């Protein structure tokens, strides 16, 4: 019988699961937050993913549940599991992507290299952390941050005063050392419920204002040892936290040639969009294979280089389609992926992949294509 | 505004338009013949494509109409055009794919190389054609044939007696010389309403029992001159018949090194499935670009070789999904495309693409993957 995969959340990640679901013969069903979202075509329900009864009604007609985002509350996830629903990734894994303090503690247990960190409950604790780490730190709200939100570079305990004021009960912020890094990398791994894993080549990611702007796959100028270490870290985390589906591990490559874990995401991730056109198996297909417990696909690049550039913003007058046609006209070899969103400044409305033999050419073409949108 | 593309027919060709439509940001709507067809996800209407009012109601909410098959009657197509509907390909072009006698006459006008042919109205006329062509001929019903149906090899006028008996009015059958061919090839071209064209590399097709079984892209052992001639033929026909969208030209490569046109198809075609994984722009994306009047995409192969093998038949006990998982397990680099159909002997229920540097490896892997289904 056709496997019915339910996706909670109707954003672009759910949207980009539609294409491989059709080819794989999976019946994809989406619980969207609103009408008219990116994954509208597959939306079979609209409602609040924080409401257990809404989610329960949605999952009644699916065989396995997965996610467009990591914001479904633990109590909802655990109730589904108690109901006997297949949830991938499950709540035990997903907690490490939902709470950065829980994640840091688990990575420490697993012996995974990461920046120095500590929970801080007030400005004094933060000041002590700053004093111990060269006069600066990164402070993060453990929950709910994304795309640079909930992240602040500070040089004094008072710099996070308003966040401390908002803490309740035993809550704490996460303080991390300011890592001096050469560049950022990302390692993706897919894992099936039974434990089968495959790893993608490590990629270089370029962030602007805390948002992923570009990805180069594989990461240029990367020695075999670093590639191996990144893959080992990805596999160790996937296994150690018991993830099912895609795991993305954001990494710092430090000036002194260490690899430190920055963030985790347990879903298809912006750093993996290149694989849609640049790898034998795209990350959206791979995520579906993993959560539907199908054998995983090959992860080899299809060509020496793939460059992904996000389309951030765009014309606000509804002329996105015209820009799109213009971009296609100028760059027939660029693969444009649209999210069906109305542009706002800085909003991710799509991305472009360019696959080729020459890195400079691919970077040029991908950037030039995106420029047509702005 | 988002372009709404209406597809008449809900088979696998419409199904395979869904994935690129999502990524291109086109709103795909399908008029399916029945519930539960291959393109079910995008089906917004179910009804008879031969009924003008059914089709009129469907096209009311689309910007452009295209097709999963070539069977929509001319009178329906012409009524839509008279209503002001954008129809691609239009009836003037589509008639050449709908009626093989009309096609042969037009190719003759265009000076395109083709087998000797003649309309034959009775067994005597056919016998004369056979006598003039070495004692054999191929007889075709001009309309409604596909996958080897409506095609018969004959050695006497009486061999087509039942088809002559069924003719009415001025109707005729098509007689063609029995071409002695080395192999069969296919040339695809995409054409926009304004005339922009792109051509794919010519491919080799292998038919079994009149049905396309395998495709190798590009056609192996093909000299530059043959590649050029095939492309010229494809472009000349596309221009000469005014096709919009994808055109497939099925070709014979004769023992004496000529290229002769066998059949035309004005839609994505089985000979072009390789391009989904093996070319910069897959034929389903290209067809959508062309009919939505968007700039056409690159047609370069992504790798030296792509091999497509059809899945014909499969287990009738509903265990197709198990075979599918088994095929994925054994061949993680094979791309399996499913059509959401119940297997019957010889029925096309999917296909497999394998992309690689070595032709023998790709052929082996593609065939071995398909074997898992049978």
């Amino acid at each position: 019988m056709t496997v019915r995969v339910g996706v909670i959340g109707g954003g672009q990640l759910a949207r980009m699961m539609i294409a491989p679901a059709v080819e794989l013969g999976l019946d994809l069903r989406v619980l969207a937050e609103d009408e008219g979202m990116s994954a509208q075509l597959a939306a079979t329900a609209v409602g609040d993913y924080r409401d257990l009864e809404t989610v329960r009604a949605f999952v009644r007609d699916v065989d396995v549940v997965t996610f467009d985002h990591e914001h479904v509350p633990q109590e909802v996830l655990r109730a589904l599991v108690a109901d006997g629903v297949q949830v991938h990734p499950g709540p035990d894994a997903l907690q490490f992507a939902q709470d950065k303090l829980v994640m840091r503690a688990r990575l420490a247990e697993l012996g995974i290299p990461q920046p120095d960190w500590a929970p801080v409950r007030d400005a004094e604790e933060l000041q002590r952390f700053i004093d111990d780490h060269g006069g600066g730190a990164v402070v993060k709200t453990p929950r709910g941050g994304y795309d640079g939100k909930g992240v602040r570079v500070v040089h004094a305990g008072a710099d996070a005063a308003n966040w401390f004021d908002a803490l309740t009960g035993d809550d704490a912020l996460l303080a991390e050392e300011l890592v001096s890094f050469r560049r950022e990398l990302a390692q993706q791994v897919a894992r099936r419920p039974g434990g089968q894993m495959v790893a993608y080549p490590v990629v270089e990611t370029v962030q602007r204002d805390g948002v992923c702007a570009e990805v180069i796959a594989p990461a240029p100028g990367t020695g075999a040892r670093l590639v191996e270490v990144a893959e080992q870290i990805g596999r160790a985390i996937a296994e150690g936290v018991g993830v099912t589906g895609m795991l993305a591990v954001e990494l710092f490559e430090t000036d002194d040639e260490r690899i430190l874990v920055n963030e985790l995401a347990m879903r298809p991730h912006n750093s993996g969009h290149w694989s849609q056109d640049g790898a034998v198996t795209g990350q959206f297909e791979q995520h579906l294979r993993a959560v539907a417990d199908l054998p995983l696909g090959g992860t080899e690049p299809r060509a020496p280089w793939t460059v992904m550039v996000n389309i951030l913003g765009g014309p606000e007058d509804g002329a996105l389609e015209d820009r799109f046609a213009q971009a296609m006209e100028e760059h027939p070899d660029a693969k444009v992926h649209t999210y069906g969103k109305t542009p706002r400044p800085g909003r991710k409305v799509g991305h472009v992949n360019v696959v080729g033999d020459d890195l400079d050419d691919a970077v040029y073409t991908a950037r030039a294509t995106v420029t047509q949108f702005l």
Side-chain angles (χ1 to χ4, degrees), chain A:
Chain A
M1 292 292 86
T2 302
V3 176
R4 301 163 302 174
V5 178
V7 185
I8 299 182
Q12 67 260 29
L13 302 182
R15 177 190 181 92
M16 290 187 276
M17 292 180 205
I18 298 173
V22 169
E23 299 304 314
L24 289 171
L26 299 172
D27 181 357
L28 198 77
R29 300 170 180 217
V30 170
L31 171 61
E33 294 84 342
D34 282 302
E35 302 286 349
M37 289 192 64
S38 293
Q40 184 171 16
L41 179 63
T44 55
V46 171
D48 185 350
Y49 58 79
R50 295 165 301 190
D51 178 62
L52 177 57
E53 293 316 312
T54 298
V55 176
R56 269 198 174 127
F58 169 68
V59 305
R60 202 163 293 142
D61 297 319
V62 305
D63 300 305
V64 56
V65 173
T66 190
F67 308 96
D68 172 71
H69 57 69
E70 289 136 342
H71 307 319
V72 179
Q74 279 284 322
E75 55 271 25
V76 172
L77 298 172
R78 292 190 186 278
L80 296 183
V81 171
D83 290 346
V85 178
Q86 294 288 321
V87 180
H88 296 301
D92 287 343
L94 210 52
Q95 63 177 328
F96 302 111
Q98 292 180 320
D99 188 311
K100 298 189 208 310
L101 277 167
V102 175
M103 181 266 285
R104 286 291 177 216
R106 181 69 182 139
L107 293 186
E109 285 172 7
L110 292 171
I112 304 288
Q114 55 179 338
D116 270 354
W117 65 279
V120 287
R121 284 176 188 77
D122 55 39
E124 291 68 36
E125 278 191 8
L126 175 57
Q127 187 61 56
R128 278 196 295 278
F129 186 90
I130 290 169
D131 294 341
D132 290 347
H133 291 87
V138 179
V139 182
K140 298 179 178 177
T141 55
R143 308 179 137 268
Y146 68 96
D147 278 355
K149 294 175 184 65
V151 176
R152 195 179 285 177
V153 175
V154 296
H155 294 91
D159 291 348
N162 62 329
W163 283 359
F164 286 119
D165 290 346
L167 291 180
T168 57
D170 285 340
D171 285 354
L173 300 177
L174 169 62
E176 298 177 352
E177 68 170 310
L178 261 176
V179 172
S180 176
F181 60 85
R182 278 188 65 217
R183 59 177 180 169
E184 292 186 72
L185 303 172
Q187 174 67 50
Q188 285 192 302
V189 171
R191 185 171 175 276
R192 279 173 84 180
Q196 190 201 356
M197 279 193 277
V198 292
Y200 284 85
V202 67
V203 302
E204 178 171 342
T205 68
V206 180
Q207 321 286 321
R208 287 198 198 101
D209 303 325
V211 178
C212 177
E214 296 184 7
V215 172
I216 300 173
T222 308
R225 175 77 190 131
L226 194 153
V227 170
E228 195 185 317
V229 168
E231 177 171 336
Q232 283 169 352
I233 288 172
R235 286 177 180 266
I237 295 173
E239 177 113 22
V241 304
V243 74
T244 40
M246 288 296 302
L247 168 72
V249 183
E250 295 182 45
L251 298 161
F252 295 124
E253 183 182 347
T254 66
D255 291 337
D256 55 352
E257 298 192 334
R258 288 174 304 145
I259 299 279
L260 304 175
V261 173
N262 181 21
E263 305 269 0
L264 302 185
M266 293 184 190
R267 49 174 169 75
H269 187 253
N270 204 159
S271 64
H273 290 352
W274 71 274
S275 62
Q276 289 177 296
D277 299 294
V280 170
T281 310
Q283 66 164 345
F284 298 96
E285 176 180 343
Q286 197 74 277
H287 186 73
L288 290 172
R289 286 180 180 228
V291 303
D293 202 14
L294 288 168
L296 302 178
T299 55
E300 300 76 20
R302 288 174 177 277
W305 300 108
T306 304
V307 176
M308 191 286 315
V309 180
N310 277 327
I311 305 170
L312 298 165
E316 286 173 75
D317 55 2
L320 190 65
E321 278 75 15
D322 298 342
R323 306 293 177 94
F324 182 32
Q326 197 177 321
M328 292 167 87
E329 180 89 46
E330 301 280 334
H331 304 289
D333 294 341
K335 304 308 295 178
V336 183
H337 300 265
T338 65
Y339 300 164
K341 290 178 170 180
T342 306
R344 287 195 302 263
R347 190 183 201 198
K348 286 183 196 170
V349 297
H351 67 272
V352 170
N353 286 331
V354 175
V355 181
D357 294 332
D358 184 274
L359 178 55
D360 289 342
D361 281 355
V363 168
Y364 171 80
T365 303
R367 287 183 187 162
T369 306
V370 168
T371 303
Q372 301 280 349
F373 286 88
L374 307 181

